[in-house]
Amino acid sequence: MTAGVEIDAGRIATAVQACPHVAGLHAGRFGEIATYLPGGRVPGVRIRPEEITVGVVGHYPAPVRDIAQEVRAAVGAVDRVVHVWIGDIADIPQPA
């Protein structure tokens, strides 16, 4: 993404939630990982001028490294550092 282009927190949230190793977004213990927009809030994605932080819940047994790589790929090319914060790991439901 080129400098000066608006980064869309909603698009990032949608793309990250579609990742196979991601069970969902995680806003952090106190909800600090979020982007506030007119008319709403995007939990799990925090955009700052120097960085983007994405908080997720990963799927077990995916390695943390794989989850982070998948999330960064979903965010795409941006003009700042992308931090991936894994707040929890979810078990894959077992068939009954």
Side-chain angles (χ1 to χ4, degrees):
M1 178 169 271
T2 53
V5 175
E6 185 71 24
I7 296 175
D8 185 347
R11 184 209 59 82
I12 291 172
T14 300
V16 168
Q17 290 179 81
C19 294
H21 292 124
V22 173
L25 294 172
H26 195 298
R29 184 171 180 192
F30 302 107
E32 69 275 14
I33 302 173
T35 298
Y36 294 89
L37 302 171
R41 176 177 177 266
V42 181
V45 179
R46 180 175 60 208
I47 299 174
R48 292 187 172 166
E50 67 281 352
E51 66 186 11
I52 297 172
T53 302
V54 182
V56 298
V57 175
H59 273 300
Y60 178 83
V64 170
R65 177 188 64 248
D66 293 353
I67 296 168
Q69 287 175 343
E70 204 171 78
V71 169
R72 286 189 181 99
V75 170
V78 292
D79 60 350
R80 60 200 78 184
V81 175
V82 176
H83 299 287
V84 179
W85 184 81
I86 300 174
D88 203 356
I89 299 292
D91 286 334
I92 297 174
Q94 298 299 318

